[in-house]
Amino acid sequence: MRYSNRTSFILSTADAMGQPACSLEAIMAGHAVGAHGCILPVATTQDGITVLCAKGGPAAAGDALSLRENSFETLRATYPKLVSLGQALELVRSYSGKMGIELHDPLTAAQVRVSLRCSEYLPHTYFCGLHPQQAAALAAAYPDLQVMVDLPLSPEDPVTFVRGAQRLGLFGLRAAPELLTEALCIEALRCGLFLASTQTDDPAVLHSLVTRGVNFIETSRPDLALAGQPEYQA
């Protein structure tokens, strides 16, 4: 990415500002209140179209269709608001926002990579949602991707863990706010890794994440994250 790991960015989540999850409206609402980009959960349809999809998949009228078992057109007929990654990418590019791609399946990364390379947006995007083995495998397969590992627990030995992440060629670490301890943040940033926090809307926690130097702070309320903190705006 074309910036250092000493900068913090506020990224809006899929349901930003109370808008429908995984909608273009949510991306626009986050941008309207100052978000520096967004985090996009993605999955792939039966015919290979990457779409925005929060965990659990799209649902309407009490019915849920499987993405893997249905084509994009079939799904779009049932869920008219279904958004392709291409649509979302064009919107994010229009305001030069940063972007996190949250993968439900590591195999989706290959197709997303093609879209990002064609749009020259690969340097502005990180990949997340992966446990350590998945993240290491993806980083090895595609060295040009900026891959984060999601932490289920805070490592007992931050120094050893961070050095291991470096050796694997990982871009950084992503975790719930409470797992991003001061010791872990200091070591990761010192070694050139980037940090991302999963969603929080608590103003006090949001402020503490900026104070600890977390680079990508995911929230459905970017207005709260940025309120009264002009020094953190990019």
Side-chain angles (χ1 to χ4, degrees):
M1 290 198 173
R2 299 167 185 167
Y3 41 82
S4 78
N5 72 341
R6 301 296 172 172
T7 307
S8 289
F9 299 98
I10 305 301
L11 300 190
S12 61
T13 53
D15 57 349
M17 305 305 293
Q19 294 297 317
C22 299
S23 65
L24 295 177
E25 290 84 357
I27 298 174
M28 290 187 287
H31 173 61
V33 296
H36 307 125
C38 58
I39 178 80
L40 302 177
V42 301
T44 305
T45 64
Q46 183 187 54
D47 51 345
I49 305 299
T50 303
V51 298
L52 304 195
C53 179
K55 290 182 179 179
D63 298 319
L65 298 181
S66 168
L67 289 177
R68 290 185 178 182
E69 297 175 0
N70 291 275
S71 69
F72 179 76
E73 290 303 320
T74 298
L75 291 159
R76 194 73 175 270
T78 304
Y79 314 115
K81 289 283 189 176
L82 188 66
V83 176
S84 70
L85 175 63
Q87 291 174 290
L89 178 57
E90 285 305 307
L91 179 56
V92 177
R93 286 184 65 205
S94 72
Y95 62 86
S96 302
K98 307 299 182 286
M99 193 161 61
I101 297 292
E102 185 175 22
L103 299 167
H104 297 320
D105 183 340
L107 296 178
T108 305
Q111 183 166 335
V112 175
R113 174 176 174 267
V114 172
S115 298
L116 293 173
R117 290 188 69 180
C118 290
S119 62
E120 299 183 344
Y121 224 67
L122 207 56
H124 305 284
T125 306
Y126 66 87
F127 288 73
C128 60
L130 305 170
H131 61 60
Q133 292 82 1
Q134 291 173 324
L138 186 61
Y142 302 108
D144 58 341
L145 296 187
Q146 298 173 140
V147 181
M148 288 206 171
V149 58
D150 279 40
L151 305 182
L153 299 170
S154 186
E156 294 183 5
D157 185 345
V159 173
T160 299
F161 187 86
V162 167
R163 289 178 181 175
Q166 280 185 303
R167 286 194 297 271
L168 293 172
L170 296 177
F171 176 67
L173 317 175
R174 179 176 181 252
E178 63 272 16
L179 301 182
L180 294 172
T181 63
E182 183 176 2
L184 180 61
C185 290
I186 289 173
E187 185 62 21
L189 296 174
R190 185 184 71 81
C191 292
L193 295 182
F194 285 74
L195 296 165
S197 65
T198 56
Q199 181 174 342
T200 180
D201 298 332
D202 184 318
V205 175
L206 290 165
H207 178 72
S208 71
L209 291 169
V210 175
T211 301
R212 274 179 266 167
V214 175
N215 308 108
F216 302 101
I217 300 170
E218 302 170 17
T219 177
S220 70
R221 292 296 305 272
D223 56 329
L224 297 179
L226 293 164
Q229 301 179 30
E231 65 272 27
Y232 302 130
Q233 298 186 40

